[in-house]
């Protein structure tokens, strides 16, 4: 009995470290998501920064980081199931921190875009691995909840970016805003090296049972049941081969769901301040909408994840998309400020909050031998939508569409996401 209590205490401590480190890493992903949106108006209005920037170029610059995330996630998916979760996450922390630091030194739009792409490689590798690591340490029946807690780091980081921009941007400039994103290099990276263990599940699935047993004893995590040695054909069905061999239809659908969600996330986080400025709010007031948007994204998934653990994440993802669609359409109405802020919070629940649930869906849908590839596909292919987010916002604004029509387009995309989520086949 005492041994069981000790093991439970060790497991709780281990899980707290893993979730804490992973959440902190994703906070910087969320910071990276929003920091460009906080400075894009400066680029549009001041050619002395990185040269002349029009809405089309601004949208393209916002998309370069997302192309990097796409490439980084897909590369991580191809090797993450082979080299392990821990190594991939540590490398990602170092990579994107250096990318943010060098971005702060850019002096041209071309260099800025190249460095944004480079930074995105590290962010993509992190996104492709975090959900797999957390799911493999979280207790059964609470994996969606722990993923929601972890991925709350994304909107928390977005909140931090918006808050720092409101308080400090005029003092530290856009270069200071990007330099802040390099802090993990001296804070999070050393902590991860010291305190983050390798996934016991991953070690067992690769036949490294003795290493898994040692880590299980040190962390209090139960050693998974060892299955009979798989046949050669089953051994080969790992990573992307297993994903697109055994799970082709759900993988494609989950990728499309993620792409739809990220299109909404990145279009709103990039262009919402500019849209609100065009609606009559000043620069500081328009940035406050980013705070409210991402505040809703923090709280909503915590509530929804409990239902996802009971009912499965598919219907909860669909319902969250519908909430987002209705809230976006409500932005077309003439609302008093207090009600407008409430609606923007619901938009955050139905966009960034929905994306948190989508990562949980991917992490818990696929088995261990292809879980890293499944999450990488969700994060990587989904970034095609993320790439389109800044571009579609720049295109719609550049085409002269009214703000009402722009929000109607985004609301229709949220409804499409709900339909795609319902179409994902059910799986125990």
């Amino acid at each position: 009995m005492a041994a069981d209590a000790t093991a439970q205490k060790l497991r709780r401590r281990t899980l707290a470290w893993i979730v804490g480190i992973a959440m902190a890493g994703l906070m910087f992903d969320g910071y990276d998501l929003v920091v460009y949106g906080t400075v894009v108006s400066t680029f549009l209005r001041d050619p002395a920064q990185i040269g002349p920037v029009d809405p089309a170029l601004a949208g393209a610059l916002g998309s370069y980081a997302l192309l990097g995330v796409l490439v980084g996630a897909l590369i991580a998916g191809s090797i993450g199931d082979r080299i392990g979760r821990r190594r991939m996450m540590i490398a990602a922390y170092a990579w994107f921190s250096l990318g943010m630091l060098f971005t702060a030194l850019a002096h041209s739009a071309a260099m800025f875009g190249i460095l944004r792409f480079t930074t995105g490689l590290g962010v993509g590798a992190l996104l492709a691995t975090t959900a797999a690591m957390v799911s493999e340490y979280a207790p059964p029946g609470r994996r969606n909840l722990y993923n929601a807690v972890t991925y709350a780091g994304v909107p928390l980081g977005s909140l931090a970016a918006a808050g720092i921009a409101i308080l400090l941007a005029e003092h530290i400039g856009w270069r200071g805003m990007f330099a802040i994103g390099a802090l993990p290099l001296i804070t999070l990276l050393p902590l991860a090296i010291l305190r983050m263990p390798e996934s016991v599940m991953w070690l067992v699935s690769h036949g490294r049972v003795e290493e898994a047993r040692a880590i299980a004893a040190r962390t209090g995590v139960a050693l998974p049941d060892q299955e009979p040695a798989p046949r050669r054909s089953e051994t080969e069905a790992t990573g992307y081969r297993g994903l697109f061999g055994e799970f082709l239809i759900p993988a494609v659908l989950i990728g499309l769901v993620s792409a739809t969600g990220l299109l909404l996330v990145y279009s709103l986080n990039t262009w919402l301040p500019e849209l609100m400025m065009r609606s009559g709010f000043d620069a500081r007031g328009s940035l406050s909408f980013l705070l409210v948007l991402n505040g809703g994204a923090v709280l909503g998934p915590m509530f929804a994840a409990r239902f996802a653990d009971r009912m499965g994440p598919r219907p909860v993802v669909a319902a969250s998309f519908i909430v987002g669609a209705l809230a976006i359409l409500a932005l077309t109405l003439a609302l008093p400020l207090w009600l407008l802020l409430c609606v923007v919070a619901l938009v955050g629940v139905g966009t960034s909050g929905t994306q948190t649930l989508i990562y949980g869906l991917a992490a818990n849908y696929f088995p261990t031998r292809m879980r890293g590839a499944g999450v990488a596909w969700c994060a990587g292919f989904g970034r095609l939508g993320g790439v389109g987010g800044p571009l579609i916002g720049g295109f719609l604004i550049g085409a002269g569409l009214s703000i009402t029509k722009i929000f109607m387009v985004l609301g229709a995309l949220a409804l499409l996401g709900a339909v795609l989520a319902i179409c994902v086949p059910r799986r125990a």
Side-chain angles (χ1 to χ4, degrees), residues 33-34 36-41 43-45 53-63 66 263-279 286-287 289-290 293 386-398 403 406-407 410:
L33 162 66
V34 165
Y36 178 67
T38 67
V39 303
V40 69
S41 294
F43 291 161
L44 287 169
R45 291 166 173 80
V53 176
D54 59 19
L57 178 56
L61 290 175
S63 296
L66 306 181
L263 189 151
L264 292 166
V265 169
Y266 279 88
S267 60
L268 287 166
N269 277 283
T270 300
W271 290 108
L272 186 61
E274 179 68 18
L275 290 172
M276 290 306 175
M277 285 183 70
R278 292 175 182 236
S279 297
S286 67
L287 286 173
F289 284 99
L290 280 182
L293 179 78
V387 169
L391 289 174
I392 195 172
F395 172 77
L396 294 175
I397 291 173
I403 294 174
I406 291 173
F407 284 137
L410 297 178

Side-chain angles (χ1 to χ4, degrees), residues 156-199:
L156 281 172
S158 299
L159 278 170
I164 291 170
I166 291 171
L167 296 173
L168 298 178
E170 62 183 71
H171 304 293
I172 64 175
W174 71 268
R175 297 184 190 280
M177 292 294 296
F178 277 91
I180 288 172
L183 286 176
L185 199 62
I186 57 173
T187 55
L188 187 60
L189 179 61
L191 198 60
I193 292 172
L194 291 173
R195 304 298 304 190
M196 181 174 285
E198 183 55 270
S199 164

Side-chain angles (χ1 to χ4, degrees), residues 35 47 65 81 148 154 163 209 229 283 296 323 379 384 390 399 410 417 428:
V35 69
D81 282 328
V154 176
V209 179
V323 169
L384 287 175
L410 297 178

